[in-house]
Amino acid sequence: MERTSDFEQLLFLYKTEGKGIGLEQFCIDNGINYRAFDRWYRNHHEGVVPVQVV
């Protein structure tokens, strides 16, 4: 079972190294269950709102 720290590391790696590849494929390549990651992301990042600074 994946832990929160595993998902946090995966998200960081994807943001830094995942250029040009989909998140689902990145999860598969790194041996992480995409559905579990997606569920974790939705539960822990509910309050994240995109902001555009002018």
Side-chain angles (χ1 to χ4, degrees):
M1 174 184 278
E2 293 88 3
R3 300 178 313 216
T4 296
S5 61
D6 295 336
F7 291 137
E8 289 172 348
Q9 289 175 349
L10 180 75
L11 185 59
F12 177 77
L13 282 175
Y14 179 71
K15 287 181 177 181
T16 57
E17 300 175 3
K19 307 291 186 229
I21 187 171
L23 181 56
E24 187 172 3
Q25 186 61 46
F26 192 79
C27 287
I28 292 169
D29 292 346
N30 287 289
I32 300 291
N33 181 341
Y34 174 73
R35 289 182 146 201
F37 174 79
D38 186 52
R39 190 175 328 118
W40 170 84
Y41 186 82
R42 289 173 191 258
N43 289 335
H44 288 85
H45 292 88
E46 291 177 12
V48 176
V49 178
V51 176
Q52 183 177 8
V53 179
V54 182

